[in-house]
Amino acid sequence: MLSVAEAFARVRATARPLPSETVPLPQAVGRVLAATIVADRDFPPFSRVAMDGIAVAHASWAGGQTDFAIEHTQYAGAPAQPLQNAHAAIEVMTGAVLPPGTDVVVRYEDIQLENSRATIQIPPPGVPGVNIHRQAADRRRGDVLLRPGVRLGPAEVAVAATVGAAAITVVRAPRVAVVSTGDELVDLDELPLPHQIRRSNAYALQALFSQAGAQVSLFHLNDEFVVLRQGLAGILDTGFDAVVLSGAVSKGRADHLPGLLRELGAVEIFHEVNQRPGKPMWFGARATGPVVFGLPGNPVSTFLTACRYVRPWLRASQRPADAASAAVEGPAPAILTVDIEFKPQLTHFVPVRVEVDATGRCLATPLRVGGSGDLAGLLGATAFLELPPEPVRFAAGTVWPAWVL
Ligand SMILES: Nc1nc2c(c(=O)[nH]1)N[C@H]1C(S)=C(S)[C@@H](COP(=O)(O)OP(=O)(O)OC[C@H]3O[C@@H](n4cnc5c(N)ncnc54)[C@H](O)[C@@H]3O)O[C@H]1N2
Ligand code: MOO
């Protein structure tokens, strides 16, 4: 049976960079940048007063002068008004342009002000420049600030705003259809009969993929073959980048999907992976159309296989072709805190809570999950460990790859 690494490599190989689009900056948060953002001015663009107080010539103060007549006040937002007399001072406000002729700012806390005169009450610093945010101290005009491939978080939005990027070129969000299947499933606004359950997987997948930058549409199809075929054919033709199905991929009499998908022109790339949970997973693609993930329906299986395969695929397809690095985010090493025994020769995905101890080590403690149907068992999980088919015993203190949930 296919290993997890081989299955993932086959999934990864189908991810193509999506085209870009231009959106207003406020809508760009969470999206992946597809352009280079360059500083249009120095950062800061002028020498900026960093404290409220007075600005003087350092040479005068260092020469022994402590008493200064105030010429005028320089407010933030006003054009710079230079110092006329090198032995005078200008009152300055944080954010103002540093008046030419001055090169040091003394805080209100360190002076006494009376009748338009200031007496400085602290000794002069050895060098000028104190309490001044010098022009170009942080970045120079023309410097590259953001490169293609960066996911735009609040800090990136601030930098884009400061260079006036009112509209910003980002990778188009992957369009994903999440399709739940099964006659036992009802939607949230319906009251389940005793033999029914609510379709939680669809909402788990929608949440996961939205967080990964996708635009998600939800569908539900019943198990009846004709309904399933018609519904699925329509979804496959609707222009989605990925179709993610949960359920009906195993060996049950109503598990029609693998056969039907083939019939509808989705070529099987694999069916079954050497893993638990999630062994019955199906993956395929249409020559001109979406990739199709058939995730096993048990909720923990659906969740973990979505994290292990679909989410990295979404991230890879949002990486611009000219992105600085071709790497896809991978797992981080974590230390197992208890002994685990797992006999089947399968890769074992183990939901864990990862905590950082006082020395900075990442400690992974397995949660009590009562099998792949126990979706409430995932509450409190922050990651899952990927334990290889061998050995049978995994000792406390050993280090394993952890995928963040
Ligand atoms: N004879 C065998 N039976 C099973 C095997 C096997 O190898 N041989 N594999 C088992 C494993 S492992 C899994 S996982 C499940 C996967 O089966 P399916 O993908 O066909 O999923 P279903 O049978 O449709 O559903 C399984 C389970 O999950 C519930 N479910 C499905 N969709 C949702 C949803 N959207 N929200 C909430 N819950 C959902 C469904 O009601 C079932 O209880 O097969 C084993 N059987
Ligand atoms: O693999 Mo199933 O996904 O164990 O429950």
Side-chain angles (χ1 to χ4, degrees):
M1 207 185 313
L2 207 60
S3 70
V4 169
E6 177 58 24
F8 180 66
R10 292 192 193 178
V11 167
R12 180 70 181 78
T14 65
R16 307 265 175 277
L18 291 167
S20 58
E21 64 183 4
T22 301
V23 298
L25 182 62
Q27 288 169 26
V29 66
R31 306 289 295 274
V32 175
L33 186 65
T36 301
I37 301 257
V38 171
D40 67 331
R41 307 164 80 195
D42 292 336
F43 276 37
F46 50 82
S47 288
R48 184 182 72 92
V49 171
M51 291 283 180
D52 303 307
I54 57 166
V56 298
H58 180 260
S60 302
W61 186 14
Q65 186 186 343
T66 54
D67 190 37
F68 292 80
I70 291 171
E71 286 185 352
H72 62 271
T73 303
Q74 179 77 53
Y75 288 98
Q81 249 189 293
L83 187 71
Q84 305 296 328
N85 174 347
H87 294 285
I90 298 173
E91 264 193 86
V92 289
M93 303 302 139
T94 303
V97 180
L98 182 74
T102 69
D103 55 7
V104 65
V105 170
V106 195
R107 304 179 310 161
Y108 280 127
E109 294 90 319
D110 299 325
I111 61 174
Q112 213 160 35
L113 269 181
E114 225 176 299
N115 300 329
S116 295
R117 296 197 76 81
T119 308
I120 303 179
Q121 296 176 312
I122 56 168
V127 287
V130 176
N131 296 329
I132 295 164
H133 189 189
R134 277 277 166 217
Q135 178 170 354
D138 305 338
R139 296 287 190 279
R140 296 203 159 274
R141 180 183 173 176
D143 279 357
V144 172
L145 303 171
L146 297 169
R147 292 179 195 279
V150 168
R151 193 171 287 277
L152 297 163
E156 288 75 20
V157 168
V159 166
T162 230
V163 303
I168 194 158
T169 304
V170 294
V171 177
R172 171 167 76 61
R175 292 193 273 257
V176 179
V178 166
V179 188
S180 58
T181 60
D183 290 346
E184 74 279 28
L185 302 174
V186 300
D187 209 348
L188 309 189
D189 53 358
E190 295 169 73
L191 194 64
L193 296 170
H195 53 276
Q196 293 179 317
I197 57 168
R198 296 192 177 92
R199 62 181 75 128
S200 58
N201 284 352
Y203 291 92
L205 295 178
Q206 181 181 44
L208 262 172
F209 303 156
S210 303
Q211 275 187 342
Q215 188 190 313
V216 181
S217 307
L218 292 186
F219 298 89
H220 180 73
L221 301 174
N222 287 97
D223 283 327
E224 210 259 306
F225 190 75
V226 178
V227 176
L228 201 54
R229 174 167 39 203
Q230 204 179 6
L232 205 50
I235 293 166
L236 288 172
D237 284 338
T238 307
F240 290 106
D241 301 302
V243 173
V244 184
L245 302 142
S246 79
V249 294
S250 188
K251 300 194 190 310
R253 289 197 192 283
D255 294 340
H256 301 307
L257 278 177
L260 193 52
L261 285 164
R262 277 181 224 116
E263 192 188 313
L264 293 173
V267 176
E268 179 179 307
I269 297 174
F270 61 76
H271 188 190
E272 297 205 334
V273 182
N274 196 37
Q275 61 191 9
R276 181 175 293 168
K279 184 169 148 229
M281 181 180 169
W282 191 95
F283 180 66
R286 258 194 172 177
T288 54
V291 293
V292 183
F293 293 89
L295 306 182
N298 276 330
V300 178
S301 314
T302 310
F303 198 92
L304 297 184
T305 51
C307 291
R308 182 64 181 87
Y309 298 97
V310 187
R311 204 167 47 179
W313 185 92
L314 291 172
R315 292 199 172 127
S317 51
Q318 289 174 80
R319 193 168 287 276
D322 56 348
S325 143
V328 174
E329 297 102 297
I335 303 166
L336 187 61
T337 57
V338 295
D339 293 332
I340 294 188
E341 196 175 296
F342 187 71
K343 290 211 177 91
Q345 297 261 299
L346 298 164
T347 293
H348 190 192
F349 297 139
V350 184
V352 291
R353 192 180 62 248
V354 175
E355 282 157 323
V356 179
D357 75 1
T359 63
R361 298 180 314 161
C362 287
L363 303 179
T365 304
L367 302 181
R368 282 181 196 285
V369 181
S372 54
D374 178 13
L375 76 159
L378 285 177
L379 296 175
T382 56
F384 66 91
L385 295 185
E386 183 171 327
L387 302 179
E390 302 269 5
V392 168
R393 280 189 199 83
F394 298 88
T398 51
V399 177
W400 303 101
W403 296 85
V404 173
L405 287 179

